Amino acid sequence: MPPFRNRFRRNSLLSSEVLDRSRVLDTLVNNLDGMVYRCLNDERWKMIFVSEGCLRLCGYSAEEMVNDPAFSWNAVTHPEDRQRVHQVIGMAVAARQRFSVEYRIRTKNREIRWVTERGMPVPNEQGEWVIEGHIADITEQRAMIESLAQAEQRFRHIFENASEGIFQSTRSGRYLAANQSLARMYGYTSPDELIADLSDLDRRLYVDPNRRNEFLRQMKASGQVVNFESEVYRRDGSRFWISENAHEVWDAQGHFVCYEGTVQDISERKHYQQQLERQASHDLLTGLPNRTLLNDRLAQGLAKAARSGYYLGVVFIDLDNFKFINDGLGHSAGDELIKVVADRLRGCIGPADTVARLGGDEFVLVLNDHYRLITVINLLEKVLKAIGQPLILEGREFQVGASLGVSMFPGDGDDPANLLKCADIAMYEAKKRGRNNFQFFTQELNRLADDRLNLEAAMRVALEHDGFDVHFQPKMDGRRRMVGVEALARWHHPLLGAVGPDRFVPIAEETGLIMPLTMAILRRAFTAARRWNEGRAEPIQVAVNLSPVLFVGQDLVRRFTDVLEETGLSPACVEVEITETVFLGDKERAVSILEAFRALGVSLAMDDFGTGYSSLSYLRHFPLDVIKIDRSLVTGVENEEEVAMIAGAAISLGKRLRKRVVAEGVENQAQFEFLREQGCDEFQGYLLSRPVPEAEIDALLALESTELTNLVRNQRRLALF
Ligand code: C2E
Ligand code: CA
Ligand code: CA
């Protein structure tokens, strides 16, 4: 139908019909949800009128309710609620006031329903007070409200008992609501206390004042923050880490209401995480930066030095003889030593510098901001002095030295790896120069370092092909008769030529090649000695040098014995030469190894006597047979009074302790005679013989035996006369 016609009809209807008020009222009343009523103001609430809604409300028809004399609203009212409803209505009637009451009814088919009744006392046509009102079913609303209340209670329970902190806050940084967990986390006894006290999140909560701004920025950008981690203050000022998850809350009209979110205490995780990060970049034992962090610091330092024009120094530090302490006294003493050194190094450097540990006994310093070399040198001297301070390990006083190698930027390199390599090379030079000193890197050193690597490789090849040789230096008695020989390693490299033991033995000691090298030397020396002594009444003693490094390993004695058995040489023909360094670490262990040698039947000689560092007390305690007076005490003995005095004292000390005393490096007759007068038993040196190949010893022995035969022949001849 076209719209204008519709409008026309409605207008005509309104104007043409007369309003029948009582019919409209009837329709309204009977179509109303619930029941409109009038009842007597008596005990039973006898109904006089009810609207048709009564059927749906309680299952009784209007007819029944009004006409059945047995029916009363009192009976429909739930027995448990009756008294209360009577009371409410009774009071309202007495006061001539409206009332409103909620209660339960029982419907015709015995269902319980909730109703709300509103009414008031009115006088009827006869002037008696009756009640008129409206009763509506509210069972569903109540169920809804109840479930809402239950839900609310559930949520409140979660809110209040959550282990996470929960909050609602304003944009301006005030809390609207908080739960107990949040209060506890922040150091308050109750949420109310928290809300009252912590009114300024911007300034009071976050350690980093920009954190709140960042929170607001993220909120603005995406309406939420996720896993937002910050360090915050507790009420007492202590700090801890939290993670926040929050979002904006808007109402139905699109107005901002609040921020709402949760807070988790992540201190433990954070702590663990920081620990892991630290472990990745720091050395566990000392807490110093490790190699990874060192490289970072070096790169940073280099960039800075390049900008500023200052020097950057890299110092490679290696402790002297650490291995002996570590293997000798045990690892915990070694660890203790490393920690002490780490502290001392920390104390030497400035705030802009770095001390890192590379592992073992190796440290690296990165020195920044030096513009004169002299300040670097001063610092290096300070470092040597600090490390050299005595320290107590396992109840004994020790002193360690260190060898320092230095490389500088600019000059020696411009990347971390190169500078470290140069400093390392310089450190080896410091070791070579007698330890406990520092050396700067030079190109010359670089060349030597290359040599070192080449030498090591060449040694490995030589060991595989039995390329090491042995020369023997005779030891003579006071009548210049050969009583023994010292076996000395020799190496003739096809390209490098003769390489002296002073060069290759230290490399062998550092690279672990010393054991196979020693065994090769022993095999040759013992085989030769076995041959020389066949059928000899007075055997030739063969002396062999054992590096102190061998005393740190496990199976020196066993392997030594193996070679003896293999070559068939009697242990009585063998002398083992050791140096004092053997006693630097675990003395007891050293002694037990020496005793095992003794038990084998070999004799023991203390080599290089008079050059050592330590007290002479070991002479009394250790099972030594021989002391060898070092060449430095022999050279000059004939014309320098002091040298003569010291040598004399050393010899008489040895004699008094009933050791055999051998002088080495005897180069002239005057030395020989002086030493003999002082009581030396045996002599070794260029005067008597240089170290010579095995065949020359053969020749010497042959000569000796012809001399002997001649002597015997002469004696016989004499006897004939
Ligand atoms: P060392 O044990 O003190 O050996 C004595 C060194 O002094 C030898 O040097 C010998 O040639 C040298 N010498 C002997 N008499 C004289 C002399 O009158 N004047 C001078 N100026 N020198 C003399 P070499 O053979 O060069 O050995 C040097 C060092 O290398 C040895 O010192 C020893 O410590 C080590 N070495 C040599 N062979 C071995 C070996 O097989 N094993 C171990 N562990 N070390 C060895
Ligand atoms: Ca020796
Ligand atoms: Ca010696």
Side-chain angles (χ1 to χ4, degrees):
M1 208 184 284
F4 72 92
R5 282 188 59 189
N6 186 20
R7 203 187 306 143
F8 174 79
R9 242 190 93 193
R10 208 185 278 165
N11 286 349
S12 73
L13 248 171
L14 272 172
S15 57
S16 65
E17 275 175 50
V18 180
L19 194 66
D20 178 346
R21 289 178 66 102
S22 88
R23 230 203 64 190
V24 170
L25 214 60
D26 252 18
T27 316
L28 278 175
V29 162
N30 283 321
N31 283 299
L32 208 61
D33 248 0
M35 167 183 107
V36 175
Y37 71 89
R38 172 185 273 189
C39 72
L40 295 180
N41 179 30
D42 63 1
E43 278 300 294
R44 300 176 58 237
W45 292 312
K46 175 75 194 126
M47 288 296 171
I48 300 161
F49 166 80
V50 295
S51 67
E52 280 165 21
C54 65
L55 194 63
R56 274 189 55 200
L57 179 71
C58 58
Y60 295 100
S61 67
E63 179 91 290
E64 264 175 296
M65 288 173 75
V66 175
N67 295 339
D68 184 353
F71 183 89
S72 76
W73 191 250
N74 186 55
V76 176
T77 304
H78 195 286
E80 285 171 16
D81 294 346
R82 266 178 214 153
Q83 202 193 346
R84 178 168 58 83
V85 181
H86 273 287
Q87 220 170 16
V88 173
I89 296 176
M91 274 160 60
V93 172
R96 308 283 186 255
Q97 276 177 349
R98 295 166 169 276
F99 65 88
S100 164
V101 61
E102 284 181 12
Y103 57 96
R104 288 164 293 177
I105 59 169
R106 241 182 350 213
T107 64
K108 190 168 181 182
N109 48 22
R110 310 234 147 257
E111 267 178 67
I112 307 289
R113 323 217 99 221
W114 274 94
V115 297
T116 178
E117 178 174 349
R118 290 162 198 277
M120 59 181 172
V122 288
N124 67 4
E125 293 73 10
Q126 286 75 42
E128 292 156 6
W129 288 93
V130 292
I131 303 161
E132 285 180 359
H134 175 246
I135 299 175
D137 188 337
I138 56 163
T139 311
E140 267 161 35
Q141 279 115 291
R142 273 197 71 106
M144 213 149 77
I145 288 167
E146 210 158 283
S147 78
L148 275 177
Q150 274 170 10
E152 147 110 43
Q153 206 189 350
R154 268 204 310 275
F155 291 132
R156 178 152 292 279
H157 194 81
I158 293 171
F159 175 75
E160 278 166 3
N161 296 295
S163 60
E164 292 187 329
I166 304 176
F167 69 87
Q168 286 181 328
S169 68
T170 67
R171 268 194 187 129
S172 64
R174 224 166 25 78
Y175 280 121
L176 297 171
N179 69 349
Q180 187 64 41
S181 283
L182 193 69
R184 211 179 311 122
M185 230 182 264
Y186 290 167
Y188 295 89
T189 47
S190 72
D192 291 343
E193 205 181 22
L194 165 73
I195 293 166
D197 185 66
L198 200 57
S199 55
D200 181 3
L201 293 179
D202 299 38
R203 268 177 290 153
R204 290 274 312 279
L205 187 63
Y206 296 100
V207 173
D208 174 359
N210 290 322
R211 238 12 222 163
R212 177 69 183 175
N213 284 340
E214 177 58 21
F215 182 98
L216 295 175
R217 194 193 62 73
Q218 288 189 18
M219 274 295 188
K220 198 168 169 198
S222 60
Q224 60 172 4
V225 297
V226 179
N227 297 332
F228 186 80
E229 297 187 357
S230 331
E231 197 181 15
V232 295
Y233 290 115
R234 277 197 200 83
R235 186 185 201 178
D236 63 8
S238 57
R239 298 164 171 204
F240 72 110
W241 280 87
I242 58 167
S243 168
E244 288 175 273
N245 283 287
H247 54 259
E248 291 175 337
V249 181
W250 298 82
D251 70 12
Q253 283 73 45
H255 298 122
F256 174 80
V257 180
C258 64
Y259 297 135
E260 186 175 83
T262 59
V263 179
Q264 230 183 321
D265 182 345
I266 55 162
S267 303
E268 210 166 301
R269 168 160 67 78
K270 207 74 190 173
H271 180 72
Y272 186 62
Q273 198 176 320
Q274 283 170 344
Q275 213 175 321
L276 281 183
E277 278 163 17
R278 240 193 113 66
Q279 274 171 20
S281 61
H282 287 75
D283 167 49
L284 272 184
L285 178 65
T286 58
L288 292 178
N290 63 11
R291 192 184 286 273
T292 316
L293 189 53
L294 170 69
N295 282 328
D296 281 1
R297 297 271 175 89
L298 257 175
Q300 281 167 21
L302 280 170
K304 203 177 145 207
R307 278 197 310 273
S308 65
Y310 283 173
Y311 284 124
L312 175 126
V314 178
V315 186
F316 206 107
I317 302 176
D318 189 287
L319 300 185
D320 297 334
N321 297 324
F322 172 72
K323 200 173 164 60
F324 295 108
I325 291 181
N326 199 43
D327 294 335
L329 291 191
H331 291 267
S332 66
D335 285 356
E336 185 57 34
L337 171 64
I338 291 294
K339 279 198 268 185
V340 170
V341 170
D343 284 342
R344 290 177 180 179
L345 289 176
R346 270 195 203 101
C348 288
I349 58 165
D353 302 333
T354 296
V355 46
R357 181 178 176 223
L358 295 192
D361 59 340
E362 291 177 347
F363 298 87
V364 170
L365 305 182
V366 181
L367 308 175
N368 294 303
D369 297 344
H370 287 270
Y371 62 95
R372 289 187 311 163
L373 225 48
I374 185 68
T375 58
V376 175
I377 291 172
N378 288 344
L379 196 135
L380 296 172
E381 271 163 2
K382 193 168 136 191
V383 166
L384 280 178
K385 217 170 132 191
I387 295 179
Q389 297 296 314
L391 80 160
I392 308 286
L393 292 175
E394 311 265 293
R396 276 160 55 192
E397 193 178 277
F398 278 85
Q399 212 172 344
V400 285
S403 301
L404 276 53
V406 192
S407 64
M408 300 295 286
F409 168 86
D412 299 338
D414 49 16
D415 67 278
N418 232 328
L419 283 167
L420 277 172
K421 194 185 119 202
C422 293
D424 189 17
I425 290 169
M427 186 276 289
Y428 269 105
E429 180 62 16
K431 281 237 181 287
K432 233 174 78 186
R433 299 221 180 165
R435 299 161 185 247
N436 210 33
N437 71 109
F438 56 83
Q439 294 297 324
F440 280 83
F441 174 79
T442 61
Q443 278 311 321
E444 172 65 9
L445 286 182
N446 199 17
R447 204 180 51 72
L448 290 175
D450 276 353
D451 283 359
R452 254 183 62 84
L453 288 178
N454 292 338
L455 269 190
E456 183 190 337
M459 274 177 79
R460 289 186 190 275
V461 175
L463 278 171
E464 272 169 35
H465 300 99
D466 198 20
F468 283 89
D469 207 352
V470 180
H471 281 193
F472 298 89
Q473 186 174 34
K475 286 196 275 182
M476 311 284 194
D477 66 11
R479 285 151 61 189
R480 289 202 176 200
R481 283 184 317 194
M482 184 164 71
V483 286
V485 292
E486 177 176 1
L488 294 160
R490 291 294 178 263
W491 185 24
H492 190 90
H493 188 271
L495 296 175
L496 302 171
V499 183
D502 285 334
R503 267 181 88 196
F504 65 76
V505 168
I507 298 174
E509 287 176 335
E510 276 158 27
T511 53
L513 292 176
I514 189 67
M515 184 59 98
L517 174 67
T518 305
M519 292 306 134
I521 304 297
L522 293 186
R523 218 166 275 129
R524 289 213 173 201
F526 290 178
T527 310
R530 161 82 209 267
R531 205 162 47 73
W532 295 325
N533 284 327
E534 232 158 283
R536 256 185 92 91
E538 269 189 68
I540 293 287
Q541 288 259 321
V542 61
V544 290
N545 294 285
L546 292 185
S547 158
V549 172
L550 296 168
F551 284 71
V552 166
Q554 285 310 315
D555 46 2
L556 175 62
V557 181
R558 186 183 58 76
R559 299 185 65 162
F560 189 96
T561 318
D562 286 349
V563 181
L564 273 177
E565 277 167 12
E566 194 186 305
T567 55
L569 180 67
S570 156
C573 298
V574 179
E575 199 168 283
V576 162
E577 295 190 8
I578 54 161
T579 59
E580 289 173 2
T581 318
V582 163
F583 303 122
L584 209 62
D586 185 348
K587 277 197 185 127
E588 267 139 53
R589 190 177 145 76
V591 173
S592 83
I593 292 175
L594 293 180
E595 267 159 4
F597 274 124
R598 259 284 189 78
L600 273 181
V602 305
S603 46
L604 300 175
M606 175 58 65
D607 205 352
D608 304 342
F609 184 76
T611 59
Y613 58 91
S614 73
S615 70
L616 299 176
S617 68
Y618 65 86
L619 282 180
R620 214 153 37 93
H621 301 300
F622 298 124
L624 295 170
D625 305 283
V626 180
I627 61 172
K628 290 186 79 176
I629 310 285
D630 190 65
R631 182 154 57 88
S632 61
L633 293 186
V634 171
T635 311
V637 87
E638 72 280 24
N639 47 27
E640 282 173 53
E641 206 175 321
E642 256 175 45
V643 180
M645 254 165 58
I646 298 172
I651 295 164
S652 83
L653 180 76
K655 291 312 299 173
R656 287 225 212 123
L657 290 167
R658 299 206 182 75
K659 311 288 182 199
R660 192 144 47 89
V661 178
V662 180
E664 60 180 10
V666 183
E667 290 184 345
N668 58 46
Q669 191 63 30
Q671 290 169 351
F672 179 75
E673 264 151 32
F674 175 86
L675 295 162
R676 192 175 50 187
E677 270 163 37
Q678 294 294 317
C680 262
D681 301 291
E682 288 170 20
F683 307 86
Q684 188 181 347
Y686 292 174
L687 171 71
L688 305 155
S689 169
R690 290 188 173 252
V692 292
E694 187 179 331
E696 285 190 32
I697 302 290
D698 287 350
L700 270 174
L701 290 175
L703 188 68
E704 195 184 74
S705 72
T706 42
E707 275 172 8
L708 203 70
T709 349
N710 286 342
L711 193 70
V712 171
R713 210 174 278 150
N714 287 342
Q715 275 172 353
R716 281 221 191 102
R717 211 175 284 153
L718 278 174
L720 282 173
F721 283 97

